[in-house]
């Protein structure tokens, strides 16, 4: 889908530069008329003809949907003119082509058609309703036998050097208040809050920090720990076992999972049911895929 962009880009620039000349003057007056007009528009509505070939609103909608994000953010007035110019020019150029299409074009069209139709089959499979029984089965598989994970609530004092961290640890060992020392000395964003980091589970902290926390008893303070952020002195405030979430909390995630499983099953079942013979591929050198000369 890259070739249309090479046509569209220059016209987007030209149209955007011309926008103030008509958009600002006419926008207010045309708003109601545009709203009324849109109620009569369908995908088959013809917006232009090129030597008798129709260009429809549907063609334009598809063209817009395939644009990169930076173009899709442009005002509708800009996009409408730019896309219509693009489609008119492409239609005229395609009509001007003489002779048989190059092999690479024919094969690209075959691949694109196959991909789009296959994608539509998958979309329909994934759009099917997920039953409560399927949800419950997915939940049971994911959570019923899962071991509870341990979560930690910790605080830390972050400093730049090991010497600074050792000095902080000494003060704490001598009875300094952790939260007050964090407010005074920590360079991290949690410092003003007394160093508290709240609750976190496995994988949410860098490995060295997580390992140090897991080795602490509640209320204990670690020796200095180095990470890419600096040197930490860590206090484990609390820890708990995180139980499995309620089904309603993970319903959306489970529905997506069930639909993906269904789609994958459809792919496998349909492929297995097809009469597929791959034997001819065994005689082909895989490096032939780089031989673009075969498409000439």
């Amino acid at each position: 889908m890259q070739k249309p962009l090479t046509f569209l880009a220059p016209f987007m620039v030209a149209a955007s530069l011309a926008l103030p000349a008509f958009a600002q003057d006419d926008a207010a007056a045309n708003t109601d008329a545009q709203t009324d007009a849109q109620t009569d528009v369908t995908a088959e509505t013809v917006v232009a003809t090129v030597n008798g070939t129709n260009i429809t609103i549907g063609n334009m909608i598809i063209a817009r949907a395939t644009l990169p994000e930076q173009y899709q953010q442009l005002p509708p007035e800009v996009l409408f003119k730019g896309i219509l110019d693009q489609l008119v020019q492409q239609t005229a150029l395609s009509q001007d082509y003489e002779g048989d299409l190059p092999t690479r074009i024919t094969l690209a069209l075959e691949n694109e058609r196959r991909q789009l139709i296959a994608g539509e089959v998958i979309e329909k499979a994934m759009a099917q309703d997920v039953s409560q029984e399927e949800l419950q089965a997915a939940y049971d598989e994911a959570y019923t036998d899962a071991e509870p994970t341990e979560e930690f609530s910790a605080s830390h004092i972050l400093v730049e050097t090991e010497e600074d961290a050792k000095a902080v640890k000494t003060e704490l060992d001598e009875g300094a208040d952790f939260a007050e020392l964090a407010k005074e000395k920590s360079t991290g964003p949690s410092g003003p809050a007394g160093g508290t980091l709240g609750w976190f589970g496995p994988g949410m902290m860098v490995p060295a920090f997580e390992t140090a926390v897991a080795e602490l008893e509640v209320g204990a303070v670690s020796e200095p720990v180095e990470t890419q952020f600096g040197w930490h002195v860590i206090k484990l405030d609390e820890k708990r076992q995180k139980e499995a979430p309620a089904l309603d909390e993970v319903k959306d995630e489970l529905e997506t999972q069930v639909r993906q499983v269904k789609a994958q099953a459809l792919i496998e079942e349909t492929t297995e049911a097809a009469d597929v013979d791959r034997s001819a591929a065994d005689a082909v050198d895989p490096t032939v895929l780089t031989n673009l000369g075969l498409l000439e």
Side-chain angles (χ1 to χ4, degrees), residues 45-251:
T45 299
V46 175
V47 289
T49 59
V50 181
N51 296 323
T53 298
N54 291 337
I55 297 173
T56 67
I57 285 293
N59 296 138
M60 296 185 69
I61 292 172
I62 290 293
R64 181 192 182 280
T66 59
L67 292 175
E69 187 65 23
Q70 64 267 32
Y71 287 133
Q72 295 199 32
Q73 299 304 313
L74 292 171
E77 295 86 352
V78 176
L79 281 174
F80 193 94
K81 183 180 186 305
I83 291 171
L84 185 56
D85 285 348
Q86 175 197 41
L87 293 178
V88 166
Q89 292 173 5
Q90 289 178 339
T91 303
L93 287 169
S94 66
Q95 291 171 345
D96 197 50
Y97 188 86
E98 296 180 357
D100 296 331
L101 287 174
T103 301
R104 59 186 171 78
I105 299 296
T106 302
L107 294 175
L109 291 172
E110 289 177 4
N111 279 355
E112 184 170 2
R113 183 177 187 277
R114 178 167 45 240
Q115 176 184 346
L116 290 172
I117 295 174
E120 189 68 13
V121 174
I122 296 300
E123 285 292 326
K124 287 183 178 180
M126 293 190 68
Q128 295 177 4
D129 291 336
V130 176
S131 69
Q132 189 62 34
E133 291 75 14
E134 290 172 321
L135 273 179
Q136 187 64 54
Y139 177 85
D140 292 342
E141 182 179 355
Y143 296 106
T144 297
D145 298 326
E147 293 291 331
T149 58
E150 198 164 40
E151 290 187 316
F152 306 95
S153 177
S155 302
H156 77 142
I157 299 172
L158 178 64
V159 292
E160 293 183 358
T161 67
E162 183 178 14
E163 290 73 23
D164 291 340
K166 286 180 177 179
V168 166
K169 181 63 165 63
T170 298
E171 289 190 56
L172 293 170
D173 290 343
E174 293 175 351
D177 181 80
F178 193 98
E180 291 303 319
L181 202 58
K183 292 177 183 179
E184 178 186 346
K185 296 185 178 295
S186 183
T187 62
S190 65
T196 182
L197 297 168
W199 288 98
F200 55 90
M204 296 177 66
M205 296 294 181
V206 293
F209 191 100
E210 184 175 305
T211 299
V213 170
E215 293 174 350
L216 290 173
E217 297 294 331
V218 174
V221 176
S222 73
E223 295 296 327
V225 177
E226 184 182 19
T227 72
Q228 63 264 46
F229 303 108
W231 286 85
H232 310 256
V233 177
I234 308 165
K235 178 185 177 184
L236 178 58
D237 299 317
E238 295 181 71
K239 63 181 177 180
R240 67 188 180 189
Q241 296 294 317
K242 182 181 180 182
E243 301 298 331
L247 191 152
D248 285 345
E249 295 178 28
V250 290
K251 180 180 178 181

